[in-house]
Amino acid sequence: KAGVTQTPRYLIKTRGQQVTLSCSPISGHRSVSWYQQTPGQGLQFLFEYFSETQRNKGNFPGRFSGRQFSNSRSEMNVSTLELGDSALYLCASSSLPTDEQFFGPGTRLTVL
Amino acid sequence: AQSVSQHNHHVILSEAASLELGCNYSYGGTVNLFWYVQYPGQHLQLLLKYFSGDPLVKGIKGFEAEFIKSKFSFNLRKPSVQWSDTAEYFCAVNDDSGYSTLTFGKGTMLLVSP
């Protein structure tokens, strides 16, 4: 069974731009969560989706948004990028929200 | 809000030494507890998890953890570490809200010297 895949793996943007990151969960998994990982703050929860509905949202500004499609694939969008948005963005999937989560390799975003 | 604290940010051990990494959480209700590992250049992998039952749980690669409810702790142990255990270890908590949200500790970087 293929694992969680994230595209692109690396991204370089400049301040003020916007970016879209994609996540394909493990086949059959309907729950997708996103996390931001930085050296200073560690791993912080961004969003949780289940069956195309956002069920929970972390403490991030409105510039961070996401969605989930009917095939369970998910995207997250960051608008008006700031230097502090540079991070590794991780996606995790599970069969149900309360099940074990499997993480993808992440997308490394660098904002210049 | 929940929080998770990991006692050591960096740990250096020699091969065959015993390992114990501390993890404490703050949440008074029912919790699910996890230890994840991130090897250099690799993605987060689950080492072990506690949902209910026996508070001593065994995971992959010889790791185990003990849930002590009265101390709000979930410490990770391994009797004899190997060089290949060099990695960053994260403790995480999920509460009984029904959400999948994990609250992570800041991580402990373990360096095992051969």
Side-chain angles (χ1 to χ4, degrees), chain B residues 15-63:
Chain B
E15 275 193 315
S18 64
L19 170 71
E20 181 159 3
L21 301 182
C23 172
N24 286 90
Y25 63 93
S26 66
Y27 183 70
T30 303
V31 292
N32 299 318
L33 297 156
F34 307 83
W35 276 98
Y36 281 87
V37 62
Q38 194 170 31
Y39 297 104
Q42 297 188 28
H43 56 271
L44 274 171
Q45 301 173 41
L46 183 68
L47 267 182
L48 47 79
K49 61 188 178 186
Y50 172 78
F51 281 6
S52 64
D54 188 345
L56 183 62
V57 292
K58 295 191 183 300
I60 60 171
K61 304 187 181 187
F63 286 91

Side-chain angles (χ1 to χ4, degrees), chain B residues 7-102:
Chain B
H7 306 167
N8 308 96
H9 293 298
H10 293 91
V11 172
I12 301 174
L13 294 173
S14 300
E15 275 193 315
S18 64
L19 170 71
E20 181 159 3
L21 301 182
C23 172
N24 286 90
Y25 63 93
S26 66
Y27 183 70
T30 303
V31 292
N32 299 318
L33 297 156
F34 307 83
W35 276 98
Y36 281 87
V37 62
Q38 194 170 31
Y39 297 104
Q42 297 188 28
H43 56 271
L44 274 171
Q45 301 173 41
L46 183 68
L47 267 182
L48 47 79
K49 61 188 178 186
Y50 172 78
F51 281 6
S52 64
D54 188 345
L56 183 62
V57 292
K58 295 191 183 300
I60 60 171
K61 304 187 181 187
F63 286 91
E64 64 177 31
E66 184 175 13
F67 170 50
I68 303 180
K69 189 174 182 179
S70 61
K71 295 185 177 180
F72 297 89
S73 71
F74 190 55
N75 292 353
L76 180 70
R77 299 193 291 249
K78 186 171 184 178
S80 175
V81 294
Q82 300 173 315
W83 176 79
S84 59
D85 293 324
T86 293
E88 191 159 17
Y89 293 80
F90 295 91
C91 180
V93 169
N94 169 250
D95 64 24
D96 55 0
S97 64
Y99 296 130
S100 66
T101 308
L102 292 172

Side-chain angles (χ1 to χ4, degrees), chain A residues 7-70:
Chain A
T7 56
R9 292 292 310 280
Y10 302 91
L11 208 48
I12 299 176
K13 293 286 188 179
T14 56
R15 280 180 298 174
Q17 288 187 307
Q18 74 164 21
V19 68
T20 300
L21 312 181
S22 181
C23 170
S24 293
I26 291 172
S27 177
H29 284 192
R30 295 162 60 196
S31 178
V32 173
S33 295
W34 290 88
Y35 295 84
Q36 181 197 64
Q37 186 177 18
T38 59
Q41 298 299 317
L43 282 146
Q44 295 185 285
F45 168 73
L46 281 158
F47 323 98
E48 174 194 329
Y49 290 90
F50 181 71
S51 293
E52 301 178 67
T53 300
Q54 186 179 95
R55 300 179 74 240
N56 200 11
K57 188 177 192 299
N59 189 24
F60 279 83
R63 301 185 295 107
F64 291 79
S65 62
R67 58 180 174 167
Q68 186 181 32
F69 302 96
S70 58

Side-chain angles (χ1 to χ4, degrees), chain A residues 82-94:
Chain A
E82 301 178 358
L83 295 179
D85 298 332
S86 294
L88 181 66
Y89 290 88
L90 297 171
C91 171
S93 77
S94 58

